[in-house]
Amino acid sequence: SQGEITEKQARKIAGRVTDSTQTDFKRLPIEKALDFWSDYTADERQKLSPILRQKASGIGRLDRTPLQKQELQTRARAALAK
């Protein structure tokens, strides 16, 4: 279904250190981006953090419950603080 990715796609995203990593990361819904965050190297996270910040800034516009939005913001802040 929409917003889901296959295991193969996940490995592909986590396994590449190229500009396509950033492209793939941009396409992920924020929940998946946060799920995969710990799989990235420090260098990758440095490159991806502006994208994650951008995703986090859009949380308020997502079609989620206030509690879900709050949880996403907390997770995003924690990820970006590392």
Side-chain angles (χ1 to χ4, degrees), residues 28-42:
L28 291 173
I30 187 162
E31 290 89 345
K32 292 286 180 205
L34 289 165
D35 287 346
F36 290 134
W37 192 248
S38 61
D39 297 337
Y40 292 105
T41 65

Side-chain angles (χ1 to χ4, degrees):
S1 71
Q2 198 173 6
E4 296 286 326
I5 64 169
T6 65
E7 197 175 13
K8 185 179 172 188
Q9 287 170 315
R11 276 199 303 273
K12 197 168 153 187
I13 291 165
R16 283 186 296 170
V17 193
T18 61
D19 288 347
S20 61
T21 300
Q22 290 170 288
T23 305
D24 291 339
F25 190 77
K26 275 182 190 163
R27 290 191 187 124
L28 291 173
I30 187 162
E31 290 89 345
K32 292 286 180 205
L34 289 165
D35 287 346
F36 290 134
W37 192 248
S38 61
D39 297 337
Y40 292 105
T41 65
D43 285 349
E44 288 172 314
R45 284 187 214 161
Q46 196 174 0
K47 290 186 186 99
L48 297 172
S49 61
I51 302 168
L52 186 58
R53 269 193 197 88
Q54 198 174 22
K55 288 179 180 295
S57 71
I59 288 172
R61 294 187 300 275
L62 294 175
D63 182 21
R64 305 288 188 282
T65 67
L67 198 63
Q68 286 170 324
K69 289 179 189 179
Q70 190 178 355
E71 186 202 345
L72 285 171
Q73 284 169 333
T74 301
R75 287 180 67 198
R77 268 198 297 275
L80 290 164
K82 286 178 186 164

